[in-house]
Amino acid sequence: MSRRKLNRRQFVAATAASSAVLITAPYVRGAYAAGKLSMGFWDHWVPGANQASTDLVNEWAAKEKVEVQIDYITSQGKKIELTIAAEGAAKSGHDLIAMPTWWPHAHAELLEPVNDIMEPIIQENGAVNGTVKYLGQSGGKWLAVPACVGSQIKGPCTRIDLMKKHAGIDVQELYPAGGPPKADSWTTETFLKAAEACQKGGVPFGIGLGETTDSVDSAGAFFQAFGAELVNAKGDVTVKTDAVRQSLEFYKRLIAALPPDVASWDDASNNKWLVSGKGAMIMNPPSAWAVAKRDAPQIAEQCWTHGFPAGPKGRFAPFLPYFWSIWSFSKNKEAAKSLIVHLSKPSSIEKMVVASGGYDLPAYEKLTTLKVWQEQGPPTGTLYHYPNPYNHQTLSIAASPAPPKIAQQIYAQATMTKMCLRYAQGEKMEATLAWAEGECEGFMRS
Amino acid sequence: MVDAVIGENTVARPRRAAGRKGLRHALKRKSTAAFLMTLPLILLIVLLVVYPALYSVHLATLNKSMQRFVGLGNFEFLFKRDTFWLVVKQSCIFAITAVVFKALIGFIVAHFVHNIPAKGQRKWRGMLLVPWVIPPAMSTLAWLWLFDPSYSAFNYTLAFFGIGPIPWTGDAAWARFSVILVNVWYGAPFFMIMYLAALKSVPEQLYEAAAIDGANWWQRIWYVTLPMMRNIIAITTLFSLIVTFANFDIVRILTAGGPLDKTHIFATWAFRVGIEGSDIPLGASVSLFMVPILAVAAIFILRDVSKRGNES
């Protein structure tokens, strides 16, 4: 076998020729000239909703010449929180990741500030609600951009027929499709009376008192309606106030009118309660109604999503935003920002909302009146008031206005629902307050 | 000079030869061969067990935002929390009650299976092992549906007899009962199969001798079966105690620690604090608290094993 050997002269000549070709050759842009970008998105409950995100990302990637990789991460079993915790600890992972409610603050030190893109987005889409500011901003720095996908309001979803029959309340009249609410009479007192009437009628309201988010969110909104804060915005423990006492008294009466097993309800229990036809109301985004539309259409036809009852300090509804955030260790921050801007365009947001059947909520004031909420049914208009089109209630999150890192502990430990249960189960008011005070003091550690 | 060089060479050669010979001897030694063969496993254990364990110790010494060393501060904080002591108490109740019942049921069922004629025994063994073979996360989901607060299959059945409804997971006492019941259901077959193996190794002559001496059923169990099974009972019980203490899936799926934290055990509370509450150092500290308890159990196991070895 012969092998051709290169002598020294030939080698030098070949190298020089190759270098000359490389230097003089014109720049040819590669297929992925702007690099790679990986993203971890929340895996949507609604079948097919992920496709809208995929299409939007691909559309952007083709235009910007970026190689993209999307991982849809489920929130089942807290998988998305586990992924965020692992990536944060390892300082490695996706460039861009979807973070639920409290997580931008929890990882504030590891996130790339996004003021430069947030300001033009707000100019185009309108102001964001207070809850988004509270959860997405820290010391004037935007930690993340509110994501339309996964964001939701957990308002009352009422059975029109049962509420009319047992409590004499016409929720469609209070919250007419296509018009502003006429809900001045819809107060916490009316709500309690309606709950008692429906319980007597054998169709109690289905409001959980467990430790998962649905239960905590409802308790949070009612506490705020009474002006009750466990920890104030400065970080002082404010458990022993009349407002907190009033909230506990309210919940004691409410619990007496709820199904006896609400202490063990999780986020699926209220959905099942509505779809089974056993109850007159639950507090949820439209997912339970969407399941009813598929599995029990006669029940879905009687469902109406609307606003919360007003308490002495106002009308509050739980808003749980998701965020798109960029890790500070991301290798392609500019591309990540460019993608978020693309996903935050009004046309992109509308596509995502439509794909989710109206479930996803943009946090911007100019985008709460999209056609999809007007058209959804049966009954037509059932989701009209879901995105709070008239700002008729304050969108809030349980445990606010405590500093977010303390509030997250109150929320995760379900301190409010535990207080309600303890008091309703016979513990003395002052003992319950003392217990909660001790818990809150424990949440102060930094 | 030349002499010196020659001298050096003459000394170096035998040293190298002796070294080679020593290596050959070392390689021929059984202990060296055994060490080399277990080396991949040792490396795996270092990678998958020792490193994460040390990392969790490191995490437990950091502050909440993981940026400052706080020494034993997290443990000090935990010792002042009522919920932590509630979790300690519940973990002990959960593990001890579950293990006692698993051992008892396993022992009784093993006797029943042992007395089944050899022909049908395999079928029974297979069927009785089913709960242990199904992944616990899956079987616990089925239990969750059976215990469902609003649509419980158990309550539906009990209603035919005019009993209930029982708040299986909504009341603290019933919730504790439910998680222990599922753990016993899952773990008893392991005890059964271990005890069955031990029973089969008890020489028949001992029972014959006991029968000749006029021993009744209870005396045969007490003076023959139990002493012969002593080691396997101890090892199985202690092994199960470790696993049950560190349980996560059953409680997480069935009650998630509720109601009012009354079913939390170490692992579920560590998850709540560490992952859901974004306080990973505190979560690591909670899970590390299991170490001294489990270490005591492990010492007992090893002592028992070595004692058994010496006896044989």
Side-chain angles (χ1 to χ4, degrees):
Chain A
M1 219 173 125
S2 68
R3 278 180 67 189
R4 191 174 165 239
K5 280 187 180 173
L6 225 60
N7 61 31
R8 193 180 59 84
R9 271 170 198 278
Q10 282 169 324
F11 175 77
V12 172
T15 311
S18 314
S19 304
V21 167
L22 283 172
I23 290 163
T24 54
Y27 173 66
V28 179
R29 192 172 174 163
Y32 300 118
K36 291 181 182 177
L37 189 73
S38 64
M39 59 221 73
F41 281 164
W42 172 63
D43 189 14
H44 214 295
W45 303 117
V46 178
N50 288 342
Q51 194 54 45
S53 304
T54 306
D55 292 344
L56 287 164
V57 170
N58 287 339
E59 180 186 297
W60 169 86
K63 200 174 122 204
E64 299 295 332
K65 307 278 183 245
V66 176
E67 182 184 354
V68 289
Q69 189 208 318
I70 313 176
D71 294 317
Y72 287 103
I73 308 164
T74 179
S75 48
Q76 290 272 31
K78 305 278 171 190
K79 176 80 166 63
I80 197 155
E81 285 90 340
L82 281 165
T83 308
I84 294 164
E87 293 189 2
K91 295 191 175 53
S92 164
H94 297 93
D95 295 289
L96 188 163
I97 192 153
M99 288 193 176
T101 45
W102 301 103
W103 268 256
H105 265 277
H107 290 87
E109 296 81 5
L110 292 171
L111 296 181
E112 175 73 8
V114 285
N115 287 35
D116 51 343
I117 56 169
M118 198 56 199
E119 280 155 22
I121 291 174
I122 288 174
Q123 270 176 8
E124 187 173 14
N125 295 345
V128 290
N129 62 59
T131 302
V132 166
K133 276 188 200 155
Y134 166 75
L135 293 166
Q137 243 184 2
S138 173
K141 183 175 90 172
W142 277 104
L143 303 167
V145 176
C148 158
V149 177
S151 298
Q152 54 184 286
I153 290 175
K154 288 183 185 169
C157 179
T158 299
R159 280 281 302 269
I160 302 161
D161 51 348
L162 298 179
M163 195 66 146
K164 216 179 271 179
K165 183 177 168 194
H166 299 289
I169 296 171
D170 184 346
V171 285
Q172 285 174 304
E173 208 172 89
L174 294 177
Y175 287 91
K182 297 168 188 162
D184 290 345
S185 61
W186 184 230
T187 63
T188 43
E189 196 48 42
T190 319
F191 181 86
L192 269 183
K193 282 183 186 153
E196 285 159 359
C198 287
Q199 191 224 13
K200 273 188 199 143
V203 283
F205 288 4
I207 300 169
L209 259 298
E211 293 169 22
T212 51
T213 61
D214 285 5
S215 304
V216 175
D217 288 324
S218 302
F222 281 119
F223 268 57
Q224 280 157 348
F226 286 96
E229 300 168 356
L230 300 189
V231 174
N232 67 18
K234 288 185 219 154
D236 306 320
V237 177
T238 51
V239 168
K240 290 182 175 170
T241 60
D242 287 345
V244 175
R245 289 187 180 92
Q246 281 171 22
S247 309
L248 293 182
E249 294 293 358
F250 166 82
Y251 249 100
K252 190 174 186 174
R253 274 179 70 191
L254 178 62
I255 288 170
L258 297 176
D261 49 14
V262 284
S264 56
W265 275 26
D266 59 20
D267 290 348
S269 308
N270 46 1
N271 294 40
K272 286 188 273 183
W273 189 251
L274 183 84
V275 179
S276 69
K278 282 186 162 192
M281 175 195 282
I282 63 164
M283 306 291 196
N284 235 43
S287 46
W289 164 78
V291 172
K293 198 160 80 157
R294 186 192 65 197
D295 297 344
Q298 73 288 359
I299 287 169
E301 282 162 18
Q302 294 296 333
C303 289
W304 201 252
T305 295
H306 58 89
F308 250 70
K313 298 290 174 192
R315 197 185 298 276
F316 291 83
F319 180 67
L320 269 86
Y322 253 87
F323 290 92
W324 288 310
S325 50
I326 303 164
W327 288 118
S328 56
F329 47 81
S330 160
K331 291 184 183 106
N332 206 347
K333 291 173 192 169
E334 287 314 306
K337 284 181 180 177
S338 165
L339 174 60
I340 291 177
V341 169
H342 179 70
L343 294 176
S344 303
K345 292 267 169 215
S347 58
S348 305
I349 286 176
E350 184 154 16
K351 274 181 199 161
M352 289 187 275
V353 176
V354 170
S356 71
Y359 176 100
D360 293 335
L361 279 186
Y364 308 100
E365 67 176 349
K366 288 185 195 166
L367 298 172
T368 56
T369 50
L370 301 177
K371 257 191 180 172
V372 59
W373 295 303
Q374 298 164 27
E375 290 167 352
Q376 282 290 330
T380 307
T382 182
L383 300 187
Y384 181 79
H385 287 277
Y386 168 58
N388 200 30
Y390 296 94
N391 287 322
H392 141 273
Q393 53 194 350
T394 306
L395 300 184
S396 68
I397 185 147
S400 63
K405 286 192 180 183
I406 298 169
Q408 183 180 8
Q409 304 297 317
I410 299 173
Y411 189 95
Q413 294 289 342
T415 310
M416 278 174 284
T417 55
K418 283 178 194 165
M419 286 171 77
C420 298
L421 271 179
R422 291 171 87 108
Y423 182 58
Q425 286 175 359
E427 192 173 77
K428 288 206 165 68
M429 173 71 84
E430 293 312 309
T432 301
L433 297 181
W435 171 83
E437 202 172 49
E439 287 288 292
C440 290
E441 278 160 5
F443 300 149
M444 299 292 166
R445 58 193 294 280
S446 57
Chain B
M1 200 56 189
V2 173
D3 281 351
V5 171
I6 291 167
E8 264 182 41
N9 280 346
T10 50
V11 174
R13 264 185 211 136
R15 251 191 221 157
R16 271 206 297 272
R20 276 200 298 273
K21 210 174 162 188
L23 185 68
R24 232 180 344 232
H25 273 293
L27 285 172
K28 274 184 186 168
R29 239 180 277 143
K30 270 186 184 174
S31 58
T32 316
F35 174 74
L36 287 174
M37 280 197 241
T38 51
L39 193 60
L41 190 64
I42 290 170
L43 289 176
L44 264 182
I45 288 172
V46 168
L47 194 73
L48 300 176
V49 179
V50 179
Y51 171 69
L54 292 177
Y55 186 62
S56 64
V57 172
H58 164 69
L59 283 176
T61 60
L62 301 178
N63 72 328
K64 191 177 161 191
S65 57
M66 295 164 71
Q67 287 168 334
R68 194 162 38 86
F69 177 76
V70 292
L72 296 175
N74 288 326
F75 292 97
E76 270 175 45
F77 172 78
L78 280 177
F79 291 160
K80 289 181 206 148
R81 309 298 302 156
D82 291 343
T83 317
F84 173 71
W85 292 111
L86 184 73
V87 170
V88 173
K89 189 180 106 184
Q90 278 156 197
S91 297
C92 293
I93 293 174
F94 175 74
I96 295 168
T97 317
V99 169
V100 166
F101 277 100
K102 281 188 271 192
L104 207 65
I105 293 168
F107 188 79
I108 295 166
V109 177
H111 271 82
F112 279 124
V113 176
H114 186 55
N115 289 327
I116 293 172
K119 205 180 157 193
Q121 211 181 84
R122 196 182 292 173
K123 247 184 287 172
W124 280 100
R125 276 203 310 255
M127 283 192 289
L128 287 165
L129 273 175
V130 166
W132 193 58
V133 174
I134 304 171
M138 273 177 66
S139 50
T140 311
L141 271 178
W143 280 99
L144 180 68
W145 294 327
L146 292 171
F147 287 136
D148 187 286
S150 306
Y151 318 95
S152 160
F154 284 149
N155 282 348
Y156 185 77
T157 313
L158 287 173
F160 284 115
F161 304 100
I163 305 167
I166 293 171
W168 295 105
T169 53
D171 169 81
W174 280 111
R176 279 181 181 155
F177 168 82
S178 304
V179 291
I180 292 170
L181 175 72
V182 177
N183 192 282
V184 170
W185 176 84
Y186 170 70
F190 170 70
F191 279 80
M192 186 272 294
I193 205 75
M194 295 294 279
Y195 290 172
L196 189 62
L199 273 177
K200 287 189 183 299
S201 66
V202 179
E204 202 54 40
Q205 295 92 316
L206 292 180
Y207 291 113
E208 285 164 13
I212 291 164
D213 287 345
N216 61 23
W217 172 84
W218 173 245
Q219 284 166 327
R220 283 204 299 275
I221 295 265
W222 191 254
Y223 293 109
V224 179
T225 312
L226 280 176
M228 293 301 289
M229 289 174 69
R230 187 171 55 89
N231 285 325
I232 202 79
I233 288 173
I235 290 170
T236 316
T237 304
L238 289 167
F239 176 73
S240 175
L241 198 63
I242 291 175
V243 176
T244 312
F245 240 102
N247 185 271
F248 174 77
D249 35 23
I250 291 174
V251 176
R252 177 75 200 167
I253 293 170
L254 220 52
T255 63
L260 295 174
D261 294 328
K262 293 288 171 60
T263 57
H264 264 308
I265 53 176
F266 284 117
T268 55
W269 202 54
F271 187 80
R272 170 67 56 87
V273 170
I275 301 297
E276 292 180 302
S278 279
D279 195 342
I280 290 177
L282 197 65
S285 309
V286 172
S287 44
L288 277 178
F289 196 80
M290 281 189 280
V291 174
I293 299 169
L294 298 184
V296 172
I299 289 166
F300 273 103
I301 290 179
L302 295 174
R303 214 174 61 170
D304 206 67
V305 168
S306 82
K307 204 167 143 191
R308 233 161 41 104
N310 293 340
E311 279 168 5
S312 64

